[in-house]
Amino acid sequence: MTPLLEICVDTLNGLNAAITCGADRIELCAALSEGGLTPSRGFMALAAEAGCPVRAMIRPRAGDFTYSGGELAVMRADIAAVAEAGLAGVVFGANQADGALDLTALEDLCRQAQDFGLETALHRSFDLTPDPSAALEVAIALGFDTVLTSGGARSAPEGVATLQALVAQAAGRIEILAGGGVRADSADGLIRAGVLALHASCRAPLPLRRDRATELGYVTPDLRDTDAAQVRALRDRITVLTGEIA
């Protein structure tokens, strides 16, 4: 079985590059520099025509994942917008102040998304939980289709032992999607550990133009976008590894 490749994007150019170069699924975001926020309705409408399954990030602000009642209301409205746009699913998370999953918030958000027929993914807020094994069972009970995780480490390659344990525990009941530091040169250990879904940004710096927009600070030196060559290299490496393991 060839592992699934999900690419997160925050621009139209990035979306097109990811699909052209072999992404199986897209996580659609705004502001990946902030870890990903909810994309605009216009971006969602265009992505719905891309010919590839697309899940939209539902995150109303940067920072942690402990949300107020008002912020949760924004998230519910954004989930409705995703359904209206015709995308495949949504990606969200919510935690209590101690890092534990916020069951009340997640139950409410999952119920709404599932009522719309949307796929649901729990994002890396999962990595804040003090007990990943217990949190995985909670995610399964809530009906999530996917958990995106680095195995509680700063990157998925660093968390490979935990990821392997989560895959074994999940036993096909939920998709374990490894994300964080996933590139062509770091995919080997993850795939050999039995991970069957990889999540990557494949971003590279954009050339900095010396023009008026740069002078006024509208364009910053750390501006990045999805790099087609990196997506293609990761896709190719997945294919090679799959053949070697088979």
Side-chain angles (χ1 to χ4, degrees):
M1 180 177 178
T2 302
L4 177 142
L5 176 58
E6 177 180 277
I7 302 295
C8 55
V9 305
D10 64 356
T11 67
L12 184 59
N13 285 340
L15 173 66
N16 292 333
I19 293 174
T20 300
C21 296
D24 299 302
R25 188 171 66 211
I26 298 296
E27 182 190 277
L28 200 74
C29 302
L32 278 174
S33 59
E34 299 291 344
L37 302 178
T38 305
S40 71
R41 288 183 179 230
F43 196 16
M44 288 192 281
L46 288 174
E49 302 173 357
C52 178
V54 177
R55 294 174 175 177
M57 173 66 76
I58 304 297
R59 187 178 175 216
R61 58 162 172 79
D64 65 18
F65 312 108
T66 302
Y67 296 117
S68 67
E71 288 171 331
L72 289 169
V74 171
M75 294 171 77
R76 289 192 295 271
D78 286 336
I79 289 172
V82 172
E84 182 180 355
L87 300 185
V90 286
V91 183
F92 56 81
N95 299 72
Q96 298 176 12
D98 64 358
L101 295 179
D102 185 336
L103 294 183
T104 301
L106 291 176
E107 284 176 353
D108 183 40
L109 296 171
C110 282
R111 185 181 308 113
Q112 183 186 15
Q114 291 157 2
D115 285 348
F116 280 123
L118 295 170
E119 299 170 358
T120 53
L122 175 60
H123 61 44
R124 286 185 60 197
S125 65
F126 177 88
D127 290 321
L128 295 176
T129 59
D131 186 343
S133 177
L136 181 61
E137 294 301 326
V138 169
I140 292 170
L142 288 171
F144 277 102
D145 298 288
T146 298
V147 169
L148 170 62
T149 172
S150 61
R154 289 188 64 86
S155 72
E158 293 176 79
V160 66
T162 298
L163 286 165
Q164 187 173 32
L166 290 171
V167 169
Q169 179 184 342
R173 295 177 295 163
I174 191 170
E175 179 184 71
I176 303 299
L177 178 62
V182 175
R183 299 180 297 272
D185 61 1
S186 63
D188 295 48
L190 296 167
I191 293 174
R192 295 187 190 282
V195 176
L196 293 177
L198 301 179
H199 170 97
S201 63
C202 294
R203 285 155 61 82
L206 292 175
L208 184 62
R209 299 193 307 269
R210 297 295 176 184
D211 57 14
R212 186 67 172 156
T214 303
E215 291 174 5
L216 291 177
Y218 303 150
V219 180
T220 61
D222 58 351
L223 193 63
R224 303 170 72 86
D225 201 359
T226 308
D227 181 63
Q230 289 191 42
V231 178
R232 188 178 298 108
L234 179 52
R235 173 82 273 169
D236 290 346
R237 188 60 190 151
I238 290 171
T239 301
V240 169
L241 284 168
T242 303
E244 290 177 357
I245 293 171

